[in-house]
Amino acid sequence: MDWVRQECHEQGATGVLVLNGFGVEQQVPSLRRFAAEHAVTTPRASRDRIARGVGPVLAYVPDEKTLDFAARLARGSSLAVVESIHGFPLQGWARQLGAVDLTRPDEQPVPFDSEVAEAIGRLDLYKNNGFGDSFGKQQARRILQGLRSAGNLERDVILGALAARGASDRAVRNLAKLIDSLDSR
């Protein structure tokens, strides 16, 4: 929150707190204070409520849909995301974007090895229908099986990386189902 406040000050902008649902901000004292100073919204709120690019965005334990919404709001500004062990995993998202972990600012993000980076790039090509059509599923399954055979299929990392590359929440959920179906075989 301190980082987002500093970004707001430097940009001369108002921040935005993005939540999965209203009311969460009242349960956490630091979020309550932040919400009193900045705009608060959710993906389900009126689209007119918050304009894109208004200022730095703080996404609090987002799911796939909320992360996608927060990233779109933050275009042209800054985005900070608070991860939860029970929420959408952000390791792959952070690695894809080269994001800095504000709890460990001296550690540099670990880039993907070339095989995983190439697979993520190929998955990105087939995400346009949200991995909902048979061709997209077939191609994704082939790529994922190759990663699994090489011992490089890290579910959460792949899902986060695709989210960072602009995959819709629907595409991320469908890809998760494909990965889970491979693991159950």
Side-chain angles (χ1 to χ4, degrees), residues 24-101:
V24 174
E25 73 280 10
Q26 298 306 315
Q27 306 305 313
V28 181
S30 56
L31 282 181
R32 188 170 41 248
R33 286 189 300 276
F34 189 87
E37 302 167 4
H38 303 280
V40 180
T41 192
T42 74
R44 288 183 223 99
S46 167
R47 298 286 182 207
D48 301 340
R49 185 180 170 107
I50 305 289
R52 262 186 223 177
V54 294
V57 174
L58 173 61
Y60 183 73
V61 295
D63 59 16
E64 302 92 333
K65 184 174 186 172
T66 303
L67 180 61
D68 181 47
F69 177 68
R72 284 185 280 120
L73 280 178
R75 289 219 168 92
S77 190
S78 310
L79 174 62
V81 183
V82 177
E83 182 178 30
S84 165
I85 60 171
H86 303 293
F88 183 69
L90 296 171
Q91 181 188 20
W93 176 84
R95 285 175 68 184
Q96 180 67 42
L97 295 174
V100 174
D101 182 341

Side-chain angles (χ1 to χ4, degrees), residues 165-179:
R165 292 184 77 131
S168 68
D169 59 300
R170 178 177 163 257
V172 172
R173 283 192 311 273
N174 285 341
L175 188 60
K177 289 176 189 173
L178 287 171
I179 294 171

